[in-house]
Amino acid sequence: MNLAVKDIRHNLGRFALTTLGVGMLLMVVMGMGGIYRGIVEDATLLIDRVGADLWIVQRSTRGPFAELSRVNPNLVYRARSVPGVQDTREFVYHTIQREREGKPLRIAVLGLSWPTDKGEWLPLVSGRVLAQNHFEMIADQTLGLALHERIRLGKETYTVVGLTTGMISSGGDGIAFFTVSDAQAIQFDTSGEAVRLERESRRSRGERSGLGAKQPTLLDQAARPSQEIAAIGRPQISAVMVTAAPGANVDDIARTISGWGDVSVFTADGQRELLLKGSVEKIRRQIGLFRSLLTIIAAIIMALILYTLTLDKIHSIALLKLIGAPNTVILGLILQQALVLGVLGFGIAYAIGQRLFPMFPRRVILTHSDLLQLGAIVLGISIASSILGIWKALRVSPNEALS
Amino acid sequence: MNDHFAITTDNITKIYGSGNTEVVAMRDVSLNVRRGEVVALLGPSGSGKSTVLTAIGLINPPTSGRVIINGTLVLDGPVARTNLRSFRRQHIGFVFQKSNLIPFLTALENVQIALELNDLSPSRARTRALELLDQLGVADRAGNLPSMLSGGQQQRVAVARALANQPSIILADEPTAALDSHRGRQVMELFAQVARDHGAGVIVVTHDHRALDVFDTLYEMEDGVVTKSSSHAA
């Protein structure tokens, strides 16, 4: 006769509520693990998806994700000349915040190196890749933009031609993909008044310098657009992505490029390491510690619940001892209830979590390995937390059945 | 050791505390209960009746003296000469003032558990439990939880459980306290019947003087000492 099941059946309502409570608690533990995994996944997603073997960034920086990096666009051509390099692409990446329908809209803007890269590698759920050099964008679904929707950024209006999924920045913002020139136009957009002020400032600086006095025609150039003034040059890009030719040794290419004095070079694994050890490390540790704390709290609460359930049965346990029940029967009663509580709680946590987590603003990723790990922890907690109840039960004297 | 006796206590004494705080709960109690004999233990509250019962029931060992059950020396002073819990399961049946049924088990399961603890298979235990409940007239309430039974029905189920493993002795502590006189007498007669039918030695602690004619032997206690004994039958 299974006494644990009989007792649960007798107190079904209370046990169900207790299990639901434990389940909700375990769901929070599970959710923290999922948030932790989501942060790691989001941080490295772009590096993994974009498929570059090497990242060339501004010298002595850890860019373009962990910190700001600025390199000259002509680096694309310089890197392409290195033996073993199959292809190079410009990388422009920054985050903007605009207002849409009265709510803040944060977009991670990523420039695709048109026409080499039209976004064919993106997991599109609808629409198409970029088909022209300007005014088109591919947006992640989490941005809430509809296909063919037009959105004004800076001085231009862009049409959403494709929707993608799972493309999230390390900050948790959805990524929108433009051509590099459009991404730069969005990044370096300045108002008309700011342009006029800058031109006036140029003229003023020219007049104060000796050069302006010697070559007065230079002052006429000050009023022209920036991109038409050779000395000012094109806006810089964040990094250059390098794809090695099949069979080429990536380390050899990296060694060659790292010899250049103006840039630093990282492999894809190096970038991933920079992100995990750098920008997301603190939040990763914080969530990891918080998760550990929650696990301990769950263990304490489960121990108290099982202890209380045991206290409620003290008279029955004393009676069982009186009629000669061996300790294994009493141990089984408490341990089985602990395991039922743990297993059902885990099941409830998973079932509710599956429905609730997708509604969270940031991704909550439940991996099989994490679920198995948590399952093992719950099993351990169930056994450990029943020890207090078992200890109490084994100390009960059969005499107590007579009182 | 006399094998005719289901229970023999040989000068059992129970002392709580020591020095100035020493309390003697029973002193030099010697009882002999034959198989099939029904014995009443009488006396006022605090006279030591329950102490005697718990010592014989192997729940609360005496400070000194010997307890012999069914010819086996079980307790020599506080020292156990055998596995007490196992011995209790096989040889002793208990019935109490409050019926003391397990609240989350049905009447049938309350009897069945005692049999299963004694290694009977669940199906055989169920059959035997139903037989016992039938003998005691509560088979129709087999599926009910204790909370759904009357006091008398609960006591019958408790008696069925006490009889389940055909024990050598049955110990009952105020089994009729919660019952009216009619039902109280019925329960006492039930003890007498099962003692004779099953050949068990029965000791009943009681305050109830209305059904003393049911008992073979009466022991009276006061201040932890047996002061008087009388027999209705040999």
Side-chain angles (χ1 to χ4, degrees):
Chain A
M1 186 184 304
N2 191 312
L3 293 173
V5 172
K6 301 279 181 195
D7 184 38
I8 290 170
R9 191 185 59 185
H10 185 242
N11 297 296
L12 195 58
R14 196 178 60 164
F15 192 83
L17 278 176
T18 307
T19 309
L20 185 67
V22 169
M24 299 294 273
L25 188 65
L26 291 177
M27 187 196 70
V28 176
V29 178
M30 197 180 275
M32 290 310 293
I35 290 170
Y36 173 91
R37 190 63 61 193
I39 283 174
V40 172
E41 186 89 357
D42 288 350
T44 56
L45 179 138
L46 199 55
I47 298 165
D48 293 337
R49 291 274 173 90
V50 85
D53 295 314
L54 291 171
W55 292 76
I56 308 174
V57 301
Q58 185 181 337
R59 183 77 182 177
S60 302
T61 69
R62 301 288 181 267
F65 302 105
E67 66 171 304
L68 192 70
S69 161
R70 288 274 172 266
V71 292
N72 198 299
N74 67 20
L75 186 62
V76 172
Y77 307 107
R78 210 184 342 152
R80 201 172 289 166
S81 67
V82 175
V85 172
Q86 184 182 45
D87 188 27
T88 54
R89 285 175 284 166
E90 295 163 302
F91 184 80
V92 172
Y93 179 73
H94 57 274
T95 303
I96 58 170
Q97 180 168 327
R98 299 288 184 272
E99 194 153 305
R100 181 169 173 265
E101 294 169 1
K103 289 179 183 171
L105 173 67
R106 284 181 64 81
I107 305 174
V109 174
L110 194 146
L112 298 176
S113 197
W114 172 274
T116 319
D117 185 357
K118 297 170 185 169
E120 293 91 341
W121 51 276
L122 294 170
L124 290 180
V125 289
S126 61
R128 56 169 173 80
V129 297
L130 301 182
Q132 60 185 48
N133 195 16
H134 288 296
F135 315 129
E136 286 190 350
M137 64 185 279
I138 300 168
D140 188 76
Q141 281 179 314
T142 56
L143 290 169
L145 301 172
L147 195 64
H148 308 307
E149 186 173 340
R150 290 162 65 80
I151 178 168
R152 189 164 182 84
L153 297 169
K155 294 184 183 64
E156 307 296 346
T157 301
Y158 300 88
T159 305
V160 179
V161 296
L163 288 175
T164 185
T165 184
M167 297 308 294
I168 307 289
S169 74
S170 59
D173 305 313
I175 302 176
F177 300 84
F178 303 79
T179 61
V180 165
S181 54
D182 281 352
Q184 285 176 323
I186 294 165
Q187 185 178 11
F188 298 109
D189 172 55
T190 44
S191 66
E193 182 63 13
V195 170
R196 280 190 290 277
L197 285 171
E198 171 56 21
R199 286 175 186 173
E200 198 52 44
S201 177
R202 269 186 231 147
R203 170 178 289 281
S204 174
R205 285 198 302 271
E207 284 171 353
R208 284 201 306 275
S209 74
L211 191 64
K214 287 175 189 169
Q215 297 183 36
T217 50
L218 273 177
L219 298 179
D220 298 336
Q221 303 287 327
R224 291 171 59 191
S226 297
Q227 61 268 34
E228 292 177 15
I229 305 173
I232 292 176
R234 291 171 61 196
Q236 296 195 310
I237 58 175
S238 305
V240 171
M241 297 180 287
V242 175
T243 307
N249 189 321
V250 175
D251 291 337
D252 287 344
I253 301 170
R255 206 171 298 117
T256 303
I257 297 171
S258 62
W260 302 345
D262 60 333
V263 294
S264 293
V265 63
F266 295 101
T267 60
D269 284 343
Q271 277 290 357
R272 200 178 290 114
E273 189 79 359
L274 279 179
L275 271 171
L276 296 181
K277 292 259 191 257
S279 53
V280 298
E281 175 63 9
K282 278 186 183 169
I283 187 77
R284 204 165 75 114
R285 278 171 55 194
Q286 182 143 334
I287 289 177
L289 285 169
F290 194 56
R291 188 189 181 199
S292 306
L293 270 177
L294 274 174
T295 308
I296 293 166
I297 291 166
I300 292 170
I301 291 176
M302 276 185 75
L304 283 174
I305 287 171
L306 288 164
Y307 185 69
T308 310
L309 286 174
T310 306
L311 285 184
D312 289 346
K313 286 193 289 286
I314 283 295
H315 192 262
S316 298
I317 289 168
L319 194 56
L320 281 167
K321 284 188 174 185
L322 188 71
I323 63 173
N327 282 340
T328 50
V329 170
I330 290 146
L331 192 140
L333 166 66
I334 295 165
L335 195 59
Q336 283 170 37
Q337 285 194 343
L339 290 173
V340 169
L341 189 69
V343 170
L344 288 180
F346 184 81
I348 288 169
Y350 181 74
I352 297 177
Q354 286 288 315
R355 282 153 186 79
L356 209 61
F357 294 153
M359 297 177 195
F360 279 33
R362 287 204 63 161
R363 287 206 298 166
V364 180
I365 299 171
L366 301 179
T367 63
H368 286 299
S369 60
D370 284 350
L371 286 174
L372 277 175
Q373 188 192 39
L374 182 62
I377 289 171
V378 169
L379 202 67
I381 288 176
S382 304
I383 294 168
S385 57
S386 64
I387 289 172
L388 193 63
I390 289 169
W391 171 80
K392 177 68 183 171
L394 295 183
R395 280 169 57 93
V396 172
S397 162
N399 254 333
E400 293 191 33
L402 310 179
S403 58
Chain B
M1 293 174 208
N2 192 328
D3 284 347
H4 297 296
F5 292 119
I7 305 162
T8 300
T9 65
D10 182 12
N11 291 315
I12 54 173
T13 298
K14 181 72 182 181
I15 300 170
Y16 292 104
S18 60
N20 291 336
T21 60
E22 184 177 290
V23 175
V24 180
M26 67 177 174
R27 184 187 296 280
D28 296 329
V29 174
S30 295
L31 303 174
N32 286 309
V33 181
R34 290 186 307 276
R35 293 195 175 99
E37 184 180 7
V38 188
V39 169
L41 210 52
L42 306 167
S45 293
S47 60
K49 306 184 298 292
S50 293
T51 308
V52 172
L53 207 69
T54 54
I56 297 171
L58 315 181
I59 300 165
N60 189 14
T63 311
S64 63
R66 299 189 307 161
V67 176
I68 299 156
I69 295 173
N70 220 16
T72 304
L73 174 63
V74 188
L75 283 171
D76 192 355
V79 181
R81 294 292 185 191
T82 183
N83 181 324
L84 296 185
R85 207 182 292 184
S86 167
F87 194 90
R88 208 160 50 223
R89 183 168 66 232
Q90 290 164 2
H91 295 278
I92 306 176
F94 291 93
V95 182
F96 307 101
Q97 179 176 346
K98 290 180 283 181
S99 62
N100 264 330
L101 299 174
I102 296 172
F104 54 84
L105 299 181
T106 62
L108 176 67
E109 289 164 346
N110 261 286
V111 182
Q112 194 178 332
I113 184 73
L115 290 156
E116 285 188 25
L117 287 174
N118 227 7
D119 294 332
L120 216 63
S121 70
S123 60
R124 288 184 61 197
R126 187 184 162 82
T127 308
R128 166 96 177 119
L130 272 171
E131 281 171 14
L132 283 163
L133 290 178
D134 189 40
Q135 279 175 29
L136 290 156
V138 281
D140 57 327
R141 311 309 301 269
N144 291 129
L145 290 169
S147 58
M148 298 158 79
L149 303 175
S150 69
Q153 287 168 333
Q154 287 183 33
Q155 278 302 27
R156 282 167 182 269
V157 176
V159 172
R161 186 182 62 197
L163 293 173
N165 291 312
Q166 296 177 308
S168 314
I169 64 173
I170 295 172
L171 305 174
D173 192 3
E174 303 277 7
T176 60
L179 305 177
D180 59 40
S181 60
H182 173 66
R183 293 212 178 275
R185 184 170 184 86
Q186 275 187 332
V187 169
M188 292 300 195
E189 284 173 349
L190 189 63
F191 282 126
Q193 186 193 330
V194 297
R196 276 145 209 156
D197 292 352
H198 295 269
V202 177
I203 299 180
V204 179
V205 167
T206 183
H207 277 109
D208 190 349
H209 287 243
R210 290 169 297 187
L212 293 183
D213 56 301
V214 172
F215 295 95
D216 300 315
T217 310
L218 307 176
Y219 288 99
E220 285 189 47
M221 289 191 72
E222 200 167 337
D223 298 331
V225 177
V226 175
T227 54
K228 195 173 156 188
S229 68
S230 56
S231 295
H232 289 158

